[in-house]
Amino acid sequence: MLDQGYIIVFAISAVVAFGSAWWIRDRMWSRWCDRLDGRGEDAVRGPNALACVQRRWAEDLETIRREQAMARHITEERVRQSRRILDALEDPVVVIDREGLVLESNGTADTLAHCTGDQGTHRLRLGDVVHNPVAIREILELARGLTDDSNGLRRVNFSSVDDQQGPVRDFEVSLRRLDDTGRILLVLHDTTREREIARMKSEFVAKASHELRTPLSSIRATLEMLESGDLEDPEHRTEMMAIASEESERLARMVDDMLDISRIEAGVARPRIERVDLGSLVGEALDGLRAVADRRSIDLRVMIADGGLEVEGDRGMLNTVVVNLVGNALKYVPEGERVTVEVAPEDLTRSVVVTVTDTGLGIPEEDLPRIFEKFYRVSRYERRAQGTGLGLDLCRNIVERVHQGRIGVDSRIGEGARFWFGVPASYASLMAA
Ligand code: ADP
């Protein structure tokens, strides 16, 4: 009986002990999971807690991975965008270290270095981009100075002496320190065009002074002779006075042409644009030139198409072009030759074209490309007629800059010359066509 009582007590104790152990294990398990999970009240308790924590960890890991991928994508896109901007710059841009090793370069710099993109920039040196040993030395010296002292901007001018690039190019390099590691940003600005313009300006001034001096000297010589009484002989005096008068006219023409050209080139000419019938304009201009043609026994012919000859333009300026081209033909062809002026619409280019063809001496092949340059005169014809060498340049400016037209010449030596210009037809002319 006693034994049975023991057994019952033992059994009850065993059940209680087992239950307590189970309960304690569950509590500890849940607490441990809570600690790992860190979500407090939402935490799942019980035997499934570990699986739950595992799942949450996996979810968190996935979120972190997604955020990292997004951040990487954004960074890469920003880098690509910066690269695109750098590559779009017309100026070559490079980052170098103190030894002149190129660390970064944009597309323009790579082109300058004859480097294809897949070569990578790590092999480039400053000398591949700056093709001038003296400039390289100067840049490196400045770059080293920049890293040591100030953060300022330095500039170096140099001419590129790269055989592969054809004509010499001028650059201005600006250097700026990027950071304390000694990286220097170089921006190369191509100044070839600016220098060319400066050169052309000073060349123009030199040529203009030279051309103005000739008639001035002639006028001054006549005045001096008059003053000193060297022109006592009336015949000689008349002759010298006529020369001085011609020279002063030439001087005035030259100054007028120079002013007109510089106004057009500077964009300050104020053309009075109106509807102009090029047929009537040419007809009237030729009436004024017929006396010159007759004096030199030149057969001056004109062929004007019926209608469709209207353009939008400045009447005075277009008249200058016609008078210059026909005047040249009358000046340079030998006596007894023929000059034909044609005016006709041209469907292909939708313009009205004026052609001046002569049966004169023609223009030597080597002079043709330069014939529209300022002060350019065919040397072998200089004695045939007086001129300034500015007429054709003025014509080109009027036709191309003011009227957006085209002007040209075809000629072979001994076979005469054919000068032509075309101006866009007016809307009314196009509609009538
Ligand atoms: P210029 O005042 O000397 O006539 P232009 O600019 O009008 O100046 O002409 C430039 C040069 O072109 C002339 O000096 C002349 O040598 C040449 N030229 C122009 N028209 C003709 C032509 N019809 N035939 C031959 N040479 C011409």
Side-chain angles (χ1 to χ4, degrees):
M1 192 62 202
L2 193 66
D3 284 350
Q4 209 173 3
Y6 275 132
I7 289 168
I8 290 168
V9 170
F10 179 75
I12 290 169
S13 305
V15 168
V16 169
F18 186 73
S20 305
W22 188 260
W23 182 81
I24 286 167
R25 190 209 71 135
D26 194 32
R27 291 293 303 164
M28 284 175 68
W29 208 205
S30 298
R31 284 222 185 103
W32 185 68
C33 291
D34 277 357
R35 265 212 317 277
L36 289 180
D37 187 19
R39 294 193 189 191
E41 67 279 3
D42 293 342
V44 176
R45 296 176 200 287
N48 289 334
L50 186 59
C52 172
V53 169
Q54 271 179 341
R55 204 186 65 240
R56 283 180 179 165
W57 272 12
E59 281 171 10
D60 287 353
L61 263 175
E62 186 52 35
T63 309
I64 291 168
R65 231 179 262 134
R66 267 205 303 272
E67 282 172 2
Q68 274 182 343
M70 179 73 80
R72 203 180 314 121
H73 177 76
I74 290 171
T75 313
E76 282 171 2
E77 187 49 37
R78 278 194 187 144
V79 170
R80 267 198 296 273
Q81 246 178 35
S82 309
R83 181 79 218 174
R84 276 199 291 271
I85 292 171
L86 270 182
D87 282 343
L89 288 178
E90 271 184 26
D91 289 339
V93 177
V94 289
V95 176
I96 57 164
D97 66 8
R98 285 171 224 220
E99 305 312 316
L101 195 69
V102 174
L103 308 171
E104 295 284 344
S105 61
N106 71 347
T108 326
D110 292 345
T111 312
L112 205 61
H114 313 296
C115 160
T116 52
D118 43 330
Q119 257 174 274
T121 54
H122 58 281
R123 279 187 238 137
L124 282 186
R125 298 197 63 87
L126 183 57
D128 297 316
V129 185
V130 173
H131 306 281
N132 182 324
V134 179
I136 295 171
R137 250 199 324 276
E138 203 177 333
I139 291 170
L140 285 179
E141 271 168 26
L142 276 177
R144 286 174 194 137
L146 271 180
T147 52
D148 292 333
D149 63 315
S150 67
N151 193 18
L153 182 72
R154 298 280 188 280
R155 293 183 199 280
V156 175
N157 287 296
F158 74 92
S159 295
S160 171
V161 282
D162 177 16
D163 297 340
Q164 291 186 45
Q165 282 195 357
V168 172
R169 286 169 71 186
D170 297 307
F171 288 97
E172 183 187 70
V173 192
S174 59
L175 296 85
R176 196 185 283 280
R177 192 174 73 157
L178 272 186
D179 49 36
D180 289 337
T181 63
R183 295 189 313 154
I184 306 288
L185 174 76
L186 301 186
V187 181
L188 285 82
H189 176 56
D190 191 335
T191 54
T192 315
R193 178 94 189 107
E194 290 155 34
R195 289 204 170 205
E196 177 64 10
I197 290 170
R199 191 192 59 74
M200 276 163 61
K201 271 187 190 160
S202 57
E203 197 180 280
F204 176 73
V205 172
K207 274 187 182 173
S209 330
H210 175 77
E211 295 295 328
L212 291 173
R213 184 166 294 199
T214 317
L216 267 178
S217 310
S218 159
I219 296 166
R220 194 203 280 157
T222 310
L223 288 174
E224 278 171 3
M225 284 161 92
L226 267 177
E227 203 177 34
S228 63
D230 283 352
L231 288 180
E232 290 297 301
D233 173 25
E235 211 174 300
H236 190 205
R237 191 169 60 222
T238 315
E239 190 192 334
M240 289 307 286
M241 294 295 280
I243 292 175
S245 161
E246 257 179 35
E247 289 298 314
S248 63
E249 262 174 40
R250 191 158 89 95
L251 203 61
R253 250 197 340 266
M254 212 185 280
V255 171
D256 285 347
D257 283 357
M258 276 183 346
L259 279 176
D260 288 346
I261 291 171
S262 69
R263 269 195 218 110
I264 295 174
E265 285 186 347
V268 295
R270 294 273 163 265
R272 285 188 44 205
I273 303 296
E274 55 185 321
R275 276 192 193 175
V276 180
D277 186 288
L278 270 187
S280 343
L281 184 140
V282 167
E284 284 161 27
L286 293 196
D287 287 345
L289 290 166
R290 211 161 282 283
V292 184
D294 292 345
R295 225 175 13 249
R296 301 199 63 229
S297 313
I298 290 168
D299 178 10
L300 180 59
R301 298 184 184 179
V302 59
M303 292 157 72
I304 298 178
D306 297 330
L309 302 178
E310 216 175 60
V311 298
E312 308 270 345
D314 180 302
R315 189 180 295 278
M317 288 188 177
L318 290 171
N319 183 61
T320 302
V321 178
V322 175
V323 169
N324 258 299
L325 296 186
V326 181
N328 274 351
L330 297 178
K331 246 181 2 183
Y332 294 106
V333 299
E335 289 194 2
E337 293 289 348
R338 192 174 60 237
V339 174
T340 311
V341 185
E342 285 175 72
V343 191
E346 192 180 83
D347 291 343
L348 198 66
T349 54
R350 296 174 156 222
S351 55
V352 180
V353 178
V354 178
T355 315
V356 182
T357 314
D358 66 59
T359 54
L361 304 165
I363 295 163
E365 204 183 329
E366 63 274 18
D367 293 293
L368 268 180
R370 303 193 58 192
I371 205 87
F372 286 91
E373 280 178 23
K374 287 183 190 65
F375 299 115
Y376 194 82
R377 305 194 74 207
V378 177
S379 54
R380 66 171 87 171
Y381 299 158
E382 272 182 29
R383 292 189 176 277
R384 296 191 71 86
Q386 274 206 344
T388 61
L390 288 172
L392 289 180
D393 186 64
L394 177 61
C395 292
R396 188 183 52 153
N397 269 294
I398 292 176
V399 171
E400 293 184 352
R401 290 196 193 223
V402 179
H403 293 88
Q404 284 75 51
R406 297 193 38 170
I407 190 164
V409 57
D410 314 301
S411 180
R412 282 163 83 119
I413 191 80
E415 294 181 16
R418 179 179 161 271
F419 282 86
W420 56 268
F421 74 92
V423 177
S426 73
Y427 183 70
S429 268
L430 287 176
M431 286 297 101

